[in-house]
Amino acid sequence: MIYRIFTFLLFSNFFLQFSFSQRVLIEAESFDDPGGWVVDPQFVEQMGSPYLMAHGMGTSVANAHTKFKLEESGEYNIWVRSKNWAPGDWEAPGRFQVAINGQTLPEALGKTPGWSWEYAGKVNLSAGGTEIDLIDLTGFNGRCDAIFFSTDIEAPPRGNSELATWRMKESNEASSPEEILEFDLVVVGGGIAGCASAIAAAEQGLKVALIHDRPVLGGNASSEIRVHTLGIYGHFERILRMLDTEHYPNGSPEAYQDEIKRHKNVEKYENIHLFTNWRAYDANTNGNRIESVDARHTSEGKRIRFKAPRFVDSTGDGWIGFWAGADFMYGRESVDTYGEAYEEWGELWSPEEADDFVMGSSVLWRTINNDVPVKFADVPWAEEVAKAHEATEGTWKWELSRLDLHQIDDAEEIRDHMLKAIFGSFANAKKTQDGENLKFEWISYLVGKRESRRLVGDHIFTFNDVTDQRKFEDSVVMETREVDVHYQQNLKDESKPDFLSEAIFYKTPKYYIPYRSLYSKNIENLFMAGRNFSCSHIGLGGPRVMRTTGQMGAAVGIAAVICEKYGIDPREVYTDHLDEYMALIEAQKTYNTIAPKK
């Protein structure tokens, strides 16, 4: 558990008087027992920290509990950093209380819009063991970031930059991690692409770090998000079959079985060093090269610096490239930028002028029919989103993208908007003749993203590469799946809710993606694999599915082997060693053993 105890000397300007101020900062994600609360690290870059969330689907969850040692007795003011995620003329849906040593403080928390420090009250505490409980009052996604005890009345800063500085200063956190680990290749992101990259490199003897911010691998294919994998296997069927899923309905609990398979297959490689629950937060550069990536454990707060000659960005959002200063794109290009028109669909496909619209994020969910009637609370805070829409499950069409919402910067608002849509649509379905026995089986609290940053490589893959059937000399990824671009249904029919999307399909024969789209144009030792590869908005439409991005991952894992062999950077694989590289890619079709461990 993370907690900090600080003693300060308060000194009067006019009198020879002094007193000691005691401060204790408890990070909620580090509680000894989270109870029914979950650790949510999705929005660290936006709000500053992982946090605990009471994701009870409308039923209050078990208390989160922790203990710490208080050094001094005193009267302590208590602040809790929280957020009212659905403000309006109703009771906040995410209310909770704090209990100290079994004494429940009277103030309900989670009532202030925006992340802020809410005053929980004052309590006399004795030195020694002290216990804290978070008591969920609603089951509707109350959230707690941190709890601050102080014998002073001054609250911590609210602004994100001020708060980050305050946290580091108060905890005496060093400017860089004290632990440093070195690898041949560091892969950040444990989705299908990141896992494939790690396996491909490890099989050829590289020592690989695979860093992932969740407890389970698979990204959108994991049991936490539950999207089935699509696409073909290309050159890498053997590797991708270790990682992919059956074609179950999206949201199905069958995802658990594929997840077991995936972990077993990644963990059998002794030279893959797996760091689950570690979230990268910075890339350290020297000129146009990344020297290391820093990561923090999502609950324990420990930090590690990962050094390597080469890195793979499989974060989806392109965070490693972004921190390193890599060129990137976001949004839709104008129809004239690459000549990607699809006349039948006009602006819904490609706009006259470039904009920031991208394919959106989904939150999947399931219900079941119970044997007896099940009550569900009123959700007036969800009505403004769901309106009269009724639903009992969330398909892939449950997706949100708007020009005023950035898929990275506003990701928490997008997730919360989808939760309102889910709870409101379900509440409407409960009121129908067939809804009495319905109850939630599962709701994801993680956003399943389709598109955000796309890092720029030596080649930008576009729709023209598909329609012209270009087979490159460095074609390492292939696909037959149609180009599939989404738009929000309400853009065609204003009566539709804003959280439902539709797809435009362009059927095409096999197309190819070159290796030059899988490494950064300006960061010399950075690969990228996944939906953040080098492509246009329309170019992403086909190959964004997970078997295809898994091909990308395997391809860069093999390229890293060539780089290690000759001490070169990714670009030189193409310019100087392409024949050898392509031969190694082709050999994957018959490769049948795990290489000796390094």
Side-chain angles (χ1 to χ4, degrees):
M1 187 194 67
I2 310 167
Y3 67 91
R4 326 284 194 209
I5 301 178
F6 320 106
T7 303
F8 292 88
L9 183 66
L10 300 184
F11 180 58
S12 169
N13 290 329
F14 302 101
F15 303 99
L16 295 177
Q17 299 176 349
F18 60 87
S19 62
F20 289 98
S21 172
Q22 291 289 323
R23 300 186 179 197
V24 182
L25 175 63
I26 307 291
E27 299 287 356
E29 67 272 14
S30 69
F31 267 38
D32 299 327
D33 178 8
W37 298 62
V38 296
V39 176
D40 190 342
Q42 298 174 92
F43 316 114
V44 170
E45 290 78 19
Q46 293 78 38
M47 56 74 62
S49 173
Y51 57 83
L52 283 183
M53 184 166 67
H55 186 57
M57 300 184 291
T59 301
S60 295
V61 304
N63 291 0
H65 177 82
T66 200
K67 298 178 181 180
F68 69 98
K69 184 178 180 181
L70 197 62
E71 297 295 334
E72 298 287 342
S73 301
E75 186 177 56
Y76 285 84
N77 297 287
I78 301 172
W79 284 269
V80 177
R81 189 167 188 250
S82 185
K83 176 183 183 178
N84 180 357
W85 64 274
D89 189 21
W90 44 69
E91 282 196 304
R95 302 184 312 282
F96 65 98
Q97 290 176 290
V98 173
I100 310 297
N101 293 333
Q103 175 187 347
T104 301
L105 304 183
E107 189 66 36
L109 304 161
K111 299 192 298 183
T112 305
W115 282 102
S116 61
W117 291 96
E118 296 181 309
Y119 187 67
K122 186 181 294 186
V123 63
N124 285 303
L125 297 174
S126 300
T130 305
E131 301 189 16
I132 308 174
D133 283 273
L134 300 181
I135 305 169
D136 175 33
L137 299 177
T138 69
F140 286 117
N141 300 86
R143 50 204 73 178
C144 178
D145 172 27
I147 304 169
F148 181 58
F149 295 73
S150 177
T151 52
D152 286 341
I153 194 62
E154 183 180 358
R158 175 169 176 165
N160 279 354
S161 59
E162 282 184 299
L163 180 60
T165 302
W166 176 83
R167 267 178 156 143
M168 286 189 67
K169 181 180 178 181
E170 298 282 27
S171 62
N172 292 318
E173 185 174 82
S175 58
S176 61
E178 294 181 359
E179 185 175 4
I180 299 175
L181 300 177
E182 296 193 19
F183 297 89
D184 298 324
L185 183 68
V186 170
V187 181
V188 186
I192 301 300
C195 290
S197 180
I199 288 175
E203 285 187 338
Q204 301 296 322
L206 297 194
K207 180 183 177 183
V208 181
L210 178 56
I211 305 169
H212 188 52
D213 65 353
R214 301 300 304 164
V216 293
L217 297 169
N220 283 348
S222 73
S223 64
E224 296 184 317
I225 300 178
R226 303 185 184 179
V227 176
H228 58 242
T229 58
L230 291 174
I232 65 173
Y233 294 111
H235 299 285
F236 307 105
E237 180 172 359
R238 180 186 54 80
I239 290 176
L240 295 181
R241 282 192 180 276
M242 299 185 204
L243 304 170
D244 68 350
T245 75
E246 298 295 329
H247 194 81
Y248 51 70
N250 286 332
S252 170
E254 293 178 55
Y256 283 107
Q257 294 305 311
D258 292 315
E259 189 167 86
I260 293 170
K261 172 194 76 173
R262 187 177 306 123
H263 274 259
K264 179 180 178 181
N265 285 324
V266 171
E267 291 166 3
K268 72 184 179 184
Y269 293 93
E270 294 178 8
N271 50 338
I272 294 179
H273 300 258
L274 183 58
F275 294 86
T276 51
N277 290 316
W278 285 83
R279 187 176 181 91
Y281 64 87
D282 200 8
N284 307 293
T285 59
N286 183 1
N288 288 331
R289 302 187 65 82
I290 300 174
E291 293 190 330
S292 61
V293 164
D294 294 341
R296 185 189 303 271
H297 195 278
T298 55
S299 60
E300 298 174 4
K302 298 175 182 177
R303 297 183 300 157
I304 296 176
R305 174 160 290 177
F306 294 86
K307 300 183 72 174
R310 283 159 288 275
F311 298 82
V312 179
D313 188 334
S314 289
T315 63
D317 285 335
W319 280 113
I320 306 305
F322 178 74
W323 291 321
D327 295 340
F328 70 91
M329 301 174 284
Y330 182 95
R332 303 191 296 177
E333 298 82 11
S334 72
V335 68
D336 295 327
T337 301
Y338 300 114
E340 296 177 296
Y342 190 176
E343 298 297 340
E344 179 183 345
W345 290 96
E347 287 277 323
L348 290 178
W349 178 266
S350 192
E352 291 293 327
E353 295 185 5
D355 61 27
D356 282 342
F357 186 85
V358 296
M359 287 180 280
S361 299
S362 290
V363 176
L364 296 177
W365 57 288
R366 287 169 57 93
T367 62
I368 56 174
N369 257 304
N370 200 43
D371 293 334
V372 295
V374 180
K375 292 183 178 180
F376 187 65
D378 291 333
V379 289
W381 41 268
E383 293 172 4
E384 61 178 352
V385 174
K387 298 182 172 61
H389 188 71
E390 300 173 10
T392 59
E393 67 174 347
T395 68
W396 65 262
K397 293 188 178 186
W398 282 64
E399 174 183 359
L400 181 62
S401 183
R402 295 197 322 235
L403 276 173
D404 64 325
L405 292 175
H406 192 282
Q407 292 293 318
I408 299 173
D409 298 341
D410 302 311
E412 187 176 21
E413 183 176 348
I414 289 169
R415 191 274 309 276
D416 290 347
H417 190 93
M418 295 305 292
L419 289 178
K420 293 175 188 176
I422 291 166
F423 289 128
S425 298
F426 175 73
N428 291 335
K430 286 284 290 178
K431 296 171 185 175
T432 66
Q433 185 176 2
D434 298 328
E436 189 177 36
N437 289 11
L438 283 175
K439 71 174 185 178
F440 284 117
E441 179 189 63
W442 169 79
I443 305 172
S444 178
Y445 61 93
L446 302 175
V447 286
K449 293 183 180 179
R450 289 178 176 83
E451 181 180 6
S452 53
R453 294 189 192 102
R454 306 183 304 276
L455 303 181
V456 178
D458 279 351
H459 180 85
I460 297 173
F461 181 79
T462 72
F463 186 47
N464 294 323
D465 294 327
V466 176
T467 57
D468 294 347
Q469 298 293 287
R470 294 175 183 165
K471 187 171 183 181
F472 307 90
E473 60 180 342
D474 57 334
S475 295
V476 291
V477 175
M478 62 186 75
E479 190 49 77
T480 58
R481 181 182 179 271
E482 60 267 83
V483 177
D484 165 16
V485 176
H486 293 195
Y487 66 91
Q488 298 304 118
Q489 291 183 15
N490 65 347
L491 296 177
K492 283 195 69 176
D493 183 349
E494 292 182 359
S495 68
K496 298 290 187 181
D498 68 354
F499 51 83
L500 296 181
S501 70
E502 195 50 81
I504 304 169
F505 295 102
Y506 183 94
K507 294 189 180 298
T508 176
K510 184 180 289 186
Y511 52 92
Y512 303 87
I513 298 172
Y515 167 68
R516 284 166 292 157
S517 294
L518 305 180
Y519 60 84
S520 172
K521 180 179 181 179
N522 67 307
I523 301 301
E524 296 170 356
N525 59 340
L526 178 64
F527 297 103
M528 55 269 195
R531 60 182 173 85
N532 57 343
F533 85 105
S534 179
C535 62
S536 66
H537 165 72
I538 300 298
L540 182 65
R544 61 183 171 80
V545 293
M546 284 181 277
R547 286 196 188 111
T548 322
T549 60
Q551 291 184 57
M552 299 177 197
V556 301
I558 297 299
V561 173
I562 300 291
C563 290
E564 181 72 13
K565 179 178 179 180
Y566 294 105
I568 59 175
D569 291 329
R571 179 177 288 114
E572 294 168 277
V573 173
Y574 172 74
T575 59
D576 299 346
H577 301 276
L578 184 59
D579 289 344
E580 182 179 356
Y581 174 51
M582 295 305 292
L584 198 52
I585 293 289
E586 287 287 339
Q588 295 303 302
K589 295 177 182 178
T590 57
Y591 191 83
N592 198 35
T593 59
I594 298 175
K597 309 302 184 294
K598 185 173 181 178

